[in-house]
Amino acid sequence: MAAQRMSLREAIERSNSNRLPAVDNNCDSVSIEIKEDGESSCCSHSSNKWLKSIMEEGNMYLHSGLQKPKIQTVQPFLREVETNKKSYDPKVVSIGPCHHGKPELQPIERLKKPMVLLYVKKRQVKIHELYEEVVKVASDARKCYAEGLTERFNDEEFTHMMFLDGCFILHYICNIVEGNHEELKKIQQIALVRRDLLLLENQLPFLVLRVLMRPRFGIADGEEMITDFIKRIRGELPKAVTLPERIKYFIRQHCLGLKSHSEVQMQDRKDKDDDEPVHLLELVRRQFIDPKAFGFGCVISSSWYSRRSAKDFKTVGIHCKPSRTYQFTDIEFKSKFSYGILTLPKIIIDDTTKSMLLNLAAYEVCPDNANDLGVTSYICFMDSIIDQDEDVKELRSKGVVMNYLGSDKQVADLFNDITTELAPSPHTYLQVKSCIEKHHRISWKSWIAEWHHSYFRSPWTCIAVAAAILAITLGVAQTVLAAYQTYLTAHPPNN
């Protein structure tokens, strides 16, 4: 019996020696050792090679999750939506390798060299020194693109493209922020250039913009300039620059010029270690989405949420109002005694809004981009409360939607179109949706809201209701007084 147990134990150990190891989430990689002698393994030689390929490709995938996402093309299932497919292609200017060389984009392509010269002269830097900075990062910039996007360019062609496109972007943004439209007069459809700069397939690695900003602006001031540009896109008014801020800016610029070359390199190395965005579109997304606003598992609700339009909110006493910020994460619901308040971020709707929202959503669903789907969830939430033009009219009257597109129906169609093939995160706005649904289920609040909506919509209806109540009260009082007088006549008092 002991011999039988020993042989059984040996068999188990031998079996375990050929078994694939479990994946340890705390390990950086997974290793495997498979015997190929065919004696102790039931797998064939081809199967062993196949299993090894699984481990190698799996390790590559696990490591890629620790890296920044690459610049990719729009996913095919999004381009298949007929009403949206034009929103992913540039109309006037190409940036980067994806649409480079298209004939319809050549008019602006010919303007890039003059604009680069203007950028260099205005920043008081030497053009060959600025170009050498791009040469140093060109190899890293090429690695920022997904496989297959840059193969048709040799190293020199790729570096030329990075230099021209990077200077063009910064010159355009700088003049927009400074309000200097004189140098942009030659560009037709300036608003369309802004639209094209926010396309997923029209992005330049941010590290290229970094080295082009550094000689004149400095990294911090250059990023601040880009942030101001994004605020204008969101509709925020630029704040006035105070005298202390101007003095601080002068000192910082002056001190930067006194730094030695080694000190500048150390500062650049420190800046690179910071959380730098991949490209301009990601920086735009960071301005719209607060990652701390979405908590997973912090709100548990068993209630379901059905679509409720903004027009229907009025019938149950839910009032919409604009939030203090323009961030898509700034959505909340507060329930009062007899009514509720839904706070929504302001949003400007114009000819470029659809393209911007779709490309932000396309960036979120890229295969190597793990995020909270914040923009996608916002788009779907807005679609759930906007069904027709009456809903847009209600949100517009409350200051939530600023319509520069056209009719309210066009805005409603916009949100109804862009949600096709988009799936939001099930965790996003969970508490808001739960509270709205709970408010809808309380019947007496709906009765009060309906009564208030029917009889107190305007000052004239309020006056009419007050007059009716007064007339009824006087009528009742007159009837009671007449009955009392009749009673006194029939039963006169003794004294």
Side-chain angles (χ1 to χ4, degrees), residues 74 78 83-91 191-203 233 281 284 288 348-363 375 379 405 414 418 422:
V74 177
L78 293 177
T83 56
N84 298 338
K85 63 181 182 180
K86 292 184 178 180
S87 299
Y88 303 111
D89 295 327
K91 290 188 175 182
L192 292 181
V193 173
R194 187 194 77 181
R195 169 199 178 272
D196 289 351
L197 293 184
L198 302 183
L199 300 179
L200 175 62
E201 297 179 351
N202 236 19
Q203 294 304 305
I233 294 175
L281 186 64
V284 172
F288 280 113
I348 293 177
I349 308 295
D350 57 21
D351 293 330
T352 65
T353 303
K354 180 178 181 179
S355 175
M356 180 186 68
L357 292 177
L358 280 172
N359 280 272
L360 286 169
Y363 171 61
V375 175
I379 295 173
L405 181 64
L414 182 148
I418 62 179
L422 293 183

Side-chain angles (χ1 to χ4, degrees), residues 284-404:
V284 172
R285 184 184 180 278
R286 290 184 183 185
Q287 296 294 320
F288 280 113
I289 300 298
D290 179 10
K292 299 178 181 178
F294 294 141
F296 297 96
C298 59
V299 179
I300 300 175
S301 174
S302 60
S303 62
W304 58 278
Y305 174 74
S306 60
R307 291 176 65 97
R308 310 285 188 181
S309 68
K311 181 182 177 183
D312 295 336
F313 284 160
K314 296 173 63 176
T315 62
V316 293
I318 296 179
H319 305 284
C320 298
K321 75 170 188 177
S323 63
R324 295 182 178 180
T325 72
Y326 288 77
Q327 288 187 321
F328 294 160
T329 48
D330 195 3
I331 296 179
E332 63 177 356
F333 180 84
K334 292 183 179 180
S335 182
K336 304 296 183 179
F337 173 72
S338 61
Y339 63 95
I341 298 177
L342 177 61
T343 305
L344 298 166
K346 300 177 184 177
I347 181 171
I348 293 177
I349 308 295
D350 57 21
D351 293 330
T352 65
T353 303
K354 180 178 181 179
S355 175
M356 180 186 68
L357 292 177
L358 280 172
N359 280 272
L360 286 169
Y363 171 61
E364 289 185 338
V365 299
C366 285
D368 60 349
N369 190 8
N371 57 69
D372 48 36
L373 298 177
V375 175
T376 303
S377 300
Y378 167 79
I379 295 173
C380 293
F381 182 83
M382 291 298 291
D383 176 60
S384 70
I385 65 175
I386 295 178
D387 283 334
Q388 44 192 303
D389 54 345
E390 290 295 326
D391 302 314
V392 178
K393 181 180 179 181
E394 175 65 19
L395 295 176
R396 183 167 51 81
S397 66
K398 300 300 183 182
V400 174
V401 171
M402 288 163 277
N403 183 10
Y404 299 121

Side-chain angles (χ1 to χ4, degrees), residues 5 7 9 26 33 53 58 88 136 139 170 189-190 208 239 297-299 341 354 378 453 455-456:
R5 287 201 194 101
S7 62
R9 183 183 304 168
N26 297 323
E33 182 178 351
S53 69
Y88 303 111
K136 295 176 183 177
S139 177
L170 292 176
Q189 302 293 334
I190 295 180
V208 175
K239 65 178 182 178
C298 59
V299 179
I341 298 177
K354 180 178 181 179
Y378 167 79
H453 178 67
Y455 300 107
F456 294 94

Side-chain angles (χ1 to χ4, degrees), residues 72 105 123 145 268 300 368 375 426:
Q72 304 204 33
L105 305 178
R123 305 307 146 202
Y145 289 95
D268 287 345
I300 300 175
D368 60 349
V375 175

